[in-house]
Amino acid sequence: MSEPIKLLHEAPEVEPKQAWPEPLPLYRDPEAPEAFPLEALGSLAPVVRETLRIVQAPDALVAASYLAATSLVVQGLANVVVDGRVYPLSLYFLTVAESGERKTAVDTIATAPLRERQKTLHLTQQDEATAWEGRYTLWEAERKAIITRKNTSRAERETALEQLGPPPSKPWSGIMLTSEPTYEGLVKLLADGWPSVGLVSNEGGSFLGGHALSQDHRLRTLSGLSELWDGQAIDRVRAGDGATLLYNRRAALHLMAQPVVARSLLADPLAQGQGFLARMLVTEPSSTAGGRWYVSESVLDTPEYQAYAARLTRAFEIVEQVVLNDPEARKQGLSLKNIPLTPEAKKLWTNFYNHVERNLNGELLQIRAFASKLAEHALRLAGVLALFENPEATSIGKDAMEQGVALAEFYGAESFRLVGGYRIPRPLALAAEVLNWLLEHCKAKNRRVFHLAEVYRLGPPAVRSARAAREVIRILEEHGYLAHRPNIEVDGKPRKDAWEVNPHALPQV
């Protein structure tokens, strides 16, 4: 148990003799998920199986971690094209898992080859940046000398400037992985860091509850991420930074978040209505805790993992060589080939597309927004697996398409279970969000009591009024998470309205 949580458990109670009840769940848990279709992972299946055997984390969590890492690399190689319609290979994942499900361990393992490449590339690019600064200084000095040159005509100066040429291109920083960016920071990373990046966080609550998704920035961030998924050019105009227009940039995303945080996003009308959730592959796999007996092996030492790392590194080196050797890469972004489906793969995909379309107003009605993109998800998943198998592939075959469809069907079932068939009423989702904030707030303050003004001044954006805060607190009281404590002191000041957190609601680990 961490020290702040231990102190909260040991904090003196306002009414020591009170018998605290066990809090009632704010909403029912979803039904058990289907087993992840590991056989549909193609060449990724062996390393996923070995990670499941040794680390013993939930199956969908492990699969999403490897798929996201692979997407980060191969999205820089190609797009899928069907009848002139171009689809990027970017994948967005949201994995819902409690603390202790080994999210960090799995993320560290799956992204280790990328982090190693990032380290090597960044150190090399730092040397390049030092050399560039010298070249740029000389270029700027020559430019100023031409402009201020006496006894020359304007035409002669213009000719000299033309001969001098444009400034030397600034090198990339080589940074491609980030965990808690603002949208503006992500754009800057795509402009200066690397044209293909990954937003990967094993503590997704930091991003979901951070500055990027605050009330003032939420719509811009969700819209921007949606446009990135679509492969659109990034256009951004700011008074301080000027105008930014970026082409052929790509972003992969994997957020791993605890249920109370993730469900607030799943129930968010803006995330649903804007289309962000329709672009995400969401899972909440069953816990493996309680049956994870220690295995005296390292995933990193297995032949399956070494084969995975070698494939990923090979694909990344192809992207790296093109990006670093193309002087136009800063302007034009990634050099992406468009790969089609083979006739057999296209027939299979077309049948799947039509099957989904026939059911949009029927059994898929509850997840129609997500289902409308289900065929595209299948294409992207098939493309990612095909290019992991062979980064120089010129088409997507039937086998990869079958795998993409099988995975899309699994994520469709999960979407129906978590987003469609299992809808959390907004007041209860908000209560869960506020409860999570309260626990963090009390931990930081080292006390279990709080007053009303703290909630509507400091709490989540949706409760920034006394009326809204009271309504959420009422729900939490009814479910046994809080007890009203009128006319008590909080931080040495008397408070008319204050509450105490039920110790049974505190984290136990």
Side-chain angles (χ1 to χ4, degrees), residues 320-331:
E320 181 181 306
Q321 184 175 9
V322 173
V323 171
L324 295 182
N325 293 333
D326 182 1
E328 295 296 308
R330 290 294 291 257
K331 294 180 181 178

Side-chain angles (χ1 to χ4, degrees), residues 1 59 79 83 166 178 234 294 299 318 326 333 385 400 437-438 487:
M1 185 180 298
D59 54 3
N79 304 309
D83 295 326
T178 181
I234 301 171
Y294 184 73
V299 177
I318 295 174
D326 182 1
L385 293 174
W437 175 84
L438 277 173
N487 303 316

